[in-house]
Amino acid sequence: MAAITSKQASMADDVFKQDKVTENIDKIEIPVSMDISPKEKTPLTEYNVLFKLVKKRRGRFYLDNCCDNVPNKKNGNSPERIWLLNGVRSIWDSELEYILKDKARYERARRGRDIIFQEGVCRVRSSDTLMLEFLRNNTHNVGKNRTGSGKFDFYEYDPQQEQKDRHQKQLIKIEMIGKAKDMPVEKVKKLVSFFGISFVDELGMPKSDDGLRTELMLFADSNPSEFQKHIDSNEVEVAYLVKRAIIEAKIDLQGGNGNAIWSGGKGFIAKIPSTRKPYEYLTELALTNSEDGRNFRQQLEQIIT
């Protein structure tokens, strides 16, 4: 075998050093995103604005680059179609007529403006003002109204606001549980009845006062907004009186023929529609400001209390 010259040894050494540098570079972790907290944003900072699907989907999801019936504030909130096209300066149909009428220009403009949600998240550069305007005006952007949303619906994700809202919801939940824990037992029973919580356990045995309070606390924990809405509601008081009057046979429903009368021939109350439940209909009647409603509630309070 021929001897290795000093020049060849030097070249081999250089290759070895270059391989080590390349290896070290490969080990460096490069951030895959530039998602920045709102507090860190400055006029000179470029960052990702995040949009999330309400109902998360796996893989890629493409949102159409046109949307109908979007209120245009520039034209007195009149509904208009919006577009996300290449090489234009507006999203509004009324400002894109010169392109939309030219089929060839339209095809070129539309090509390449994909709106992609990857694993339920769409990242948009803060410098892409046209896409941001399109997504913020899109009718599928539901904001904070995320209940019962469709598969295309999304919202703009602000981590600071999300944490603030979550913190506030938790505080309300704790407060409502505390109120259920400390309220008088009579009020506990009224709310238990109103929310449709059973007064008996799975074996049909009556629940104790502490058992009913526990059930109400669990309801406040899982439905804090609903509990807060009705905790001091006049509807709860009236509904409790109506239910007691029916259970104690002080209101006669006459075998379900639609008439509700006072027991003992004390007078006619109302004709209940066949599509309505007597308890719900009579509660609504007592809450109305009509003469019949006021008279019914007055009699109800006199008979039950």
Side-chain angles (χ1 to χ4, degrees):
M1 180 181 291
I4 299 175
T5 67
S6 59
K7 184 176 180 180
Q8 289 174 325
S10 177
M11 290 176 62
D13 187 52
D14 289 343
V15 171
F16 175 77
K17 291 179 179 179
Q18 183 63 39
D19 288 343
K20 292 298 290 181
V21 170
T22 303
E23 180 182 348
N24 290 334
I25 289 176
D26 291 339
K27 292 180 180 179
I28 296 175
E29 293 186 3
I30 300 174
V32 296
S33 70
M34 295 176 63
D35 305 333
I36 298 177
S37 169
K39 291 184 178 181
E40 301 176 54
K41 298 173 185 175
T42 69
L44 300 178
T45 302
E46 188 174 5
Y47 53 91
N48 284 335
V49 180
L50 304 182
F51 295 87
K52 294 183 68 176
L53 292 175
V54 176
K55 297 180 179 179
K56 185 176 178 180
R57 297 163 65 109
R58 295 185 62 84
R60 288 190 169 194
F61 171 75
Y62 291 83
L63 187 72
D64 197 1
N65 70 340
C66 71
C67 180
D68 290 323
N69 300 317
V70 179
N72 188 348
K73 295 179 181 179
K74 301 176 185 178
N75 295 332
N77 285 327
S78 59
E80 192 172 328
R81 175 176 285 185
I82 59 174
W83 300 84
L84 184 62
L85 304 177
N86 266 322
V88 298
R89 298 181 180 178
S90 176
I91 64 171
W92 300 101
D93 193 272
S94 59
E95 298 174 3
L96 295 171
E97 291 181 356
Y98 68 99
I99 286 181
L100 298 175
K101 289 180 179 179
D102 187 331
K103 185 176 181 180
R105 291 187 67 184
Y106 164 70
E107 290 297 334
R108 289 198 304 272
R110 183 165 184 173
R111 193 178 302 121
R113 293 301 280 169
D114 291 330
I115 306 168
I116 304 173
F117 287 81
Q118 183 71 37
E119 300 297 327
V121 178
C122 177
R123 288 178 166 85
V124 183
R125 305 304 303 142
S126 58
S127 57
D128 193 347
T129 55
L130 206 65
M131 184 178 283
L132 289 175
E133 185 182 6
F134 179 87
L135 290 173
R136 285 168 175 165
N137 283 279
N138 198 295
T139 55
H140 290 297
N141 188 336
V142 296
K144 292 187 177 182
N145 185 26
R146 300 169 196 172
T147 56
S149 299
K151 66 178 182 178
F152 300 109
D153 292 342
F154 62 90
Y155 61 94
E156 185 171 347
Y157 179 79
D158 182 340
Q160 295 294 327
Q161 188 61 45
E162 291 289 324
Q163 292 165 26
K164 182 179 178 181
D165 291 345
R166 186 177 181 184
H167 177 71
Q168 187 61 33
K169 287 179 181 178
Q170 194 63 31
L171 290 179
I172 292 174
K173 181 182 290 190
I174 293 170
E175 181 185 359
M176 293 304 106
I177 294 173
K179 288 189 175 184
K181 172 180 173 291
D182 297 330
M183 68 175 52
V185 68
E186 189 62 26
K187 189 170 184 177
V188 168
K189 292 179 179 179
K190 291 177 181 179
L191 285 167
V192 165
S193 173
F194 182 81
F195 291 131
I197 300 171
S198 177
F199 279 78
V200 297
D201 62 19
E202 63 274 12
L203 298 179
M205 303 297 290
K207 294 176 183 175
S208 65
D209 291 348
D210 285 342
L212 293 175
R213 188 182 299 280
T214 300
E215 293 288 353
L216 189 61
M217 290 170 66
L218 290 171
F219 182 89
D221 180 46
S222 57
N223 302 278
S225 298
E226 186 73 8
F227 184 85
Q228 185 181 37
K229 178 181 176 181
H230 292 102
I231 188 170
D232 295 315
S233 169
N234 191 34
E235 185 181 356
V236 173
E237 297 288 335
V238 172
Y240 186 70
L241 292 176
V242 171
K243 191 170 283 189
R244 273 191 61 187
I246 294 173
I247 292 173
E248 295 174 7
K250 293 178 179 178
I251 292 178
D252 184 0
L253 300 177
Q254 294 194 334
N257 67 358
N259 290 327
I261 62 173
W262 294 110
S263 298
K266 295 180 181 179
F268 176 79
I269 300 174
K271 177 73 174 179
I272 301 173
S274 59
T275 56
R276 300 296 306 278
K277 295 180 180 179
Y279 155 67
E280 294 177 353
Y281 184 82
L282 292 175
T283 298
E284 290 179 11
L285 175 63
L287 289 168
T288 62
N289 197 31
S290 65
E291 184 177 354
D292 289 341
R294 290 193 299 270
N295 290 338
F296 173 55
R297 181 168 178 175
Q298 184 178 11
Q299 289 176 288
L300 194 63
E301 290 173 345
Q302 290 174 350
I303 291 174
I304 298 301
T305 56

